[in-house]
Amino acid sequence: MADIALWKDLSRYLKITSNISEKVGGEINVGEKFVLEVTGSNIAPTGDGLPVVVFNRPRIQVRGTKNATPATGDGWHPMPATVLKPGESTSMRIEMNAIGEVKRGIFDSFTKELVASVVIRGDLDQDQFFQIDSAVAELKEEIQPG
């Protein structure tokens, strides 16, 4: 069970955010195209004594919904950066096609249309994660009496 806990802990450091750009007007209508900008970030902490969490080959899986589909179809897309070190991010743009109507209701001011399901995946750089440093030793030159 400790390995699952470690996996869950590490997976929370690979974060994904997105926003919609290049749309026409305030709403996206059926048949229109828009761009989903997706950013993947490594939010792992850094510091003395902490393992270095680096993600190699970051990639995203984009799946359509009843409201929109990726222009190239559902699937995996490699992110522009091949390595994500702590504090680094990489972004890419996915062209989307609007295919469904947004139902209007009383809560429209508080909810947003679901346009895609996006997952980010990265390979943990195990060599960097498992580098072990010993305790710091401060060495001083000793002068031998002569």
Side-chain angles (χ1 to χ4, degrees):
M1 289 304 246
D3 53 345
I4 292 174
L6 176 62
W7 178 84
K8 285 182 179 180
D9 191 45
L10 291 172
S11 66
R12 68 185 173 101
Y13 298 139
L14 194 54
K15 183 179 178 183
I16 192 163
T17 57
S18 65
N19 68 319
I20 294 174
S21 65
E22 295 184 27
K23 63 180 181 174
V24 178
E27 295 181 4
I28 301 170
N29 300 308
V30 172
E32 291 182 345
K33 293 186 181 301
F34 61 96
V35 172
L36 181 65
E37 289 191 42
V38 179
T39 300
S41 303
N42 181 345
I43 61 168
T46 59
D48 291 337
L50 292 175
V52 179
V53 178
V54 174
F55 296 105
N56 294 323
R57 294 184 336 110
R59 54 216 179 266
I60 58 171
Q61 181 184 46
V62 181
R63 290 186 301 240
T65 65
K66 66 179 183 175
N67 298 314
T69 59
T72 58
D74 292 352
W76 287 96
H77 306 275
M79 299 294 281
T82 58
V83 174
L84 278 181
K85 295 178 180 177
E88 293 182 344
S89 297
T90 184
S91 298
M92 69 181 305
R93 301 156 55 87
I94 303 291
E95 186 175 85
M96 303 289 290
N97 297 316
I99 60 170
E101 292 288 343
V102 180
K103 293 182 181 174
R104 298 290 176 201
I106 191 167
F107 297 109
D108 286 343
S109 298
F110 305 106
T111 61
K112 294 185 179 183
E113 175 183 2
L114 180 62
V115 295
S117 173
V118 182
V119 174
I120 188 166
R121 180 179 289 170
D123 302 329
L124 176 66
D125 188 324
Q126 295 180 43
D127 289 341
Q128 290 200 41
F129 185 77
F130 287 108
Q131 286 181 3
I132 309 297
D133 293 333
S134 66
V136 174
E138 294 182 6
L139 303 177
K140 296 181 182 177
E141 182 179 0
E142 292 185 24
I143 300 175
Q144 299 293 328

